[in-house]
Amino acid sequence: MQHRSRGRALPIGPTATKSSDKESKHDLYKRVRSIDVLLGAWQTIRSNGETSRSRKTREETRKFGAELPKKINQIQRRLRNPPYQFAQQYGATPVKRKGSGKRPLVIAPIEDRIVQRAILDALHEMRSNKAIQSIFETPGSIGGIRGRGVDNAIKIIQKAHEEDRAKYVAGSDIAGFFTKINQRRVCAFISNNIHDAKFCHLFESALRVDLENADLLSHEDAALFPSGDMGVAQGCPLSALAGNIELGEFDQKMSKGDVICIRYIDDFIIIGKSESVVSKSMDKAKNLLLELGMNVYAPGDGTGKAFSGPIEDGYEFLGYQVIPDFYPPSETNIVKLLDSVKSEYGKGRNNILRFLKKGGKPPIQLYAQTFVAVDQLVRAWAGSFKASKCTKTALYIDGEINKLTSHFISFYMQKTKNITTSKKREVLGIGLVSNLFS
């Protein structure tokens, strides 16, 4: 893309020739560093970064995008002079959504995440490689695969319901899944099926976890992260692929028989016509996972991570209640949305009060910006549940958000009724030119 200025074409993006078809097929490493693959990887990383709940992540993403041509060219130069050196990562341990323990997240620099994503995208392109494509095309595996997602799970369940095959259901998480993935087995699969030594070395390096803040973590927190050849990083663009490779045989074997098995990374569900058929298939799943050193949870064990019973009971799977024909979002996710909306309105309210009391430079989020934040939140949340057909639930959620919105509008009207027009404008979140000049 180019802008024209005074008769000259000003390039605003990196330029490079695309790899030829012949090169793409026989040199995967060169494909990874090609401009179209790197830019495609950046688009995914940018999308995730811009919608992150972390303000720091959003700002880092914005700054990287502002220097995109320079940054992409730097990555290309580093890849042209192998081995590409991945930086140390930062280990974070946020509390899990349901409060049951901590989640070990590994945060790598944006450059490294782009390279990791480029590796994944290049593998997706290998249409003629049957072994690689078998990982992406297994019917019951829907997580971390281009063109598949939670919506596919709902479609599969609904189809089974319409065919009268969905009477009974059982499901579970795989305990500590990412820490149980054997890196050596995953890398062996790649090297056995891709004859490109530089690419295989890059893939192996991209999976390694080396925390810069390991010495600052408590012993309990440090134990949550992968160590040596065991485990992959949560947060790495390649972690889902590694899991899908590790469970490739599991997916193939579980797709046979009288049941339907759907797996999204470490969550899986088994659907069948009877309790006995589903129970027998769940025992089969447990045994297959035990061979890989993995375990599942059991219904009633107190974790809330496993269930079994008639499908009409509406068990939660991937954020939905599995109620055929409707599939409403789970109560947990509805509460989470409403709490987040309350939080944004609370943030706007506090910023307005502080600004009216102390003056000075207006905060970033005042009246108008609060509505924008809430709108983005609602749109992103609704997009995550687009397979739901439950109008009743949608109307309830809208009603609750309407109440919160009305309260915020009333608050603004009350607090600004006796102030100047200029001050009202500032509280609205519209800057004053006189202040901006100074």
Side-chain angles (χ1 to χ4, degrees):
M1 185 181 297
Q2 294 180 330
H3 285 320
R4 296 205 171 267
S5 176
R6 299 184 182 181
R8 292 186 300 128
L10 301 180
I12 62 170
T15 58
T17 57
K18 294 184 179 181
S19 302
S20 67
D21 291 340
K22 182 178 179 181
E23 178 180 272
S24 299
K25 292 177 181 177
H26 300 290
D27 194 334
L28 201 57
Y29 185 86
K30 287 184 179 179
R31 187 65 186 138
V32 168
R33 76 174 190 232
S34 65
I35 196 68
D36 53 325
V37 171
L38 288 175
L39 286 178
W42 155 247
Q43 293 297 339
T44 302
I45 300 301
R46 184 188 70 174
S47 177
N48 294 335
E50 288 179 344
T51 57
S52 171
R53 299 193 67 179
S54 166
R55 189 180 297 275
K56 180 181 178 182
T57 298
R58 295 196 301 270
E59 182 61 19
E60 287 177 347
T61 303
R62 185 195 65 77
K63 287 182 178 179
F64 190 96
E67 298 183 289
L68 185 61
K70 172 185 171 184
K71 295 290 188 181
I72 293 294
N73 284 327
Q74 286 175 346
I75 293 173
Q76 282 189 309
R77 283 198 299 271
R78 291 172 62 190
L79 286 167
R80 285 194 187 99
N81 297 285
Y84 179 93
Q85 296 293 332
F86 288 90
Q88 288 185 304
Q89 309 103 332
Y90 179 83
T93 54
V95 176
K96 291 182 180 179
R97 184 182 60 184
K98 296 180 180 179
S100 56
K102 295 180 178 179
R103 186 181 304 279
L105 293 181
V106 176
I107 305 167
I110 292 178
E111 291 88 345
D112 289 352
R113 278 181 275 152
I114 289 174
V115 173
Q116 289 165 339
R117 181 71 200 193
I119 292 171
L120 178 63
D121 290 347
L123 286 170
H124 266 288
E125 290 181 356
M126 298 190 71
R127 307 303 305 175
S128 61
N129 191 311
K130 293 182 179 179
I132 297 298
Q133 290 308 312
S134 70
I135 301 300
F136 299 134
E137 294 174 358
T138 303
S141 176
I142 60 168
I145 298 175
R146 184 189 294 173
R148 296 190 186 182
V150 178
D151 293 352
N152 294 88
I154 301 302
K155 290 176 183 177
I156 294 170
I157 296 170
Q158 181 62 20
K159 186 172 184 288
H161 166 67
E162 292 169 356
E163 295 173 349
D164 201 33
R165 299 172 63 195
K167 299 293 186 182
Y168 201 87
V169 62
S172 178
D173 284 9
I174 301 173
F177 177 63
F178 289 104
T179 62
K180 303 291 180 64
I181 295 171
N182 189 309
Q183 282 191 37
R184 189 171 297 176
R185 277 199 297 258
V186 172
C187 291
F189 175 87
I190 292 295
S191 61
N192 288 339
N193 292 288
I194 295 179
H195 307 297
D196 183 332
K198 285 192 292 186
F199 175 85
C200 292
H201 182 271
L202 182 69
F203 181 90
E204 185 176 343
S205 299
L207 281 187
R208 291 195 194 113
V209 176
D210 181 17
L211 300 181
E212 65 181 12
N213 61 326
D215 294 339
L216 302 178
L217 297 171
S218 68
H219 177 74
E220 293 77 13
D221 285 356
L224 298 173
F225 290 91
S227 176
D229 290 332
M230 288 305 299
V232 296
Q234 290 193 52
C236 170
L238 290 171
S239 58
L241 172 64
N244 289 339
I245 291 173
E246 182 80 318
L247 293 185
E249 189 173 346
F250 171 88
D251 292 332
Q252 293 289 344
K253 290 182 177 179
M254 290 301 298
S255 66
K256 299 174 182 177
D258 299 328
V259 299
I260 296 169
C261 181
I262 306 168
R263 182 180 64 82
Y264 188 97
I265 315 297
D266 57 342
D267 293 345
F268 69 96
I269 190 174
I270 298 170
I271 299 169
K273 282 189 173 184
S274 68
E275 179 179 0
S276 61
V277 168
V278 171
S279 296
K280 190 179 295 184
S281 187
M282 179 58 80
D283 289 338
K284 176 183 175 181
K286 290 176 183 176
N287 291 330
L288 289 172
L289 291 169
L290 278 173
E291 292 175 6
L292 297 172
M294 299 180 185
N295 299 292
V296 298
Y297 298 96
D301 63 4
T303 64
K305 295 183 177 181
F307 56 86
S308 65
I311 196 167
E312 65 264 19
D313 286 354
Y315 296 100
E316 181 180 341
F317 181 57
L318 303 179
Y320 286 88
Q321 293 182 62
V322 184
I323 302 176
D325 297 325
F326 296 102
Y327 307 101
S330 69
E331 292 182 12
T332 301
N333 280 293
I334 293 171
V335 170
K336 183 180 178 182
L337 169 65
L338 295 178
D339 284 347
S340 296
V341 172
K342 287 178 188 176
S343 177
E344 290 297 339
Y345 280 133
K347 188 187 301 181
R349 195 160 25 241
N350 291 336
N351 284 345
I352 289 171
L353 287 173
R354 187 164 57 249
F355 179 59
L356 288 174
K357 182 178 181 180
K358 296 183 178 181
K361 184 178 179 181
I364 294 174
Q365 181 176 322
L366 286 168
Y367 189 73
Q369 292 82 1
T370 298
F371 287 128
V372 171
V374 169
D375 177 62
Q376 291 175 340
L377 189 68
V378 171
R379 289 178 183 275
W381 187 91
S384 299
F385 294 99
K386 57 187 177 184
S388 178
K389 305 299 181 185
C390 191
T391 305
K392 182 178 179 181
T393 299
L395 291 174
Y396 164 76
I397 294 170
D398 282 339
E400 294 300 302
I401 295 176
N402 287 347
K403 293 176 189 176
L404 294 169
T405 303
S406 294
H407 290 159
F408 186 66
I409 293 172
S410 297
F411 163 82
Y412 168 79
M413 298 295 290
Q414 180 188 2
K415 294 298 178 181
T416 59
K417 61 183 178 181
N418 294 320
I419 62 176
T420 65
T421 301
S422 291
K423 197 68 174 177
K424 278 185 180 180
R425 177 174 142 190
E426 284 189 291
V427 176
L428 276 171
I430 303 172
L432 297 176
V433 174
S434 53
N435 287 344
L436 294 172
F437 272 8
S438 63

